[in-house]
Amino acid sequence: MRRTTWAYAVAAVLVVALQSGWDPAEVRNLAMAMLVLIALIYAARGGRE
């Protein structure tokens, strides 16, 4: 079974940002930055989990 805890962490951070009163554009930028960071980490590991 694959563990996708990073997906839950990203979702939690985005929900907290929305609840804290961030604008939707700021939340979108945060989400994009987090996904780029995850992609870079994944690529650095050679695609292996």
Side-chain angles (χ1 to χ4, degrees):
M1 183 162 122
R2 273 182 72 182
R3 297 183 68 195
T4 55
T5 54
W6 64 265
Y8 296 118
V10 168
V13 168
L14 295 177
V15 168
V16 169
L18 281 170
Q19 290 179 342
S20 296
W22 287 32
D23 292 334
E26 293 174 321
V27 175
R28 183 187 65 231
N29 290 339
L30 175 63
M32 286 189 296
M34 291 172 58
L35 290 175
V36 166
L37 181 60
I38 291 168
L40 288 173
I41 292 169
Y42 186 76
R45 294 181 64 192
R48 52 187 151 69
E49 297 256 343

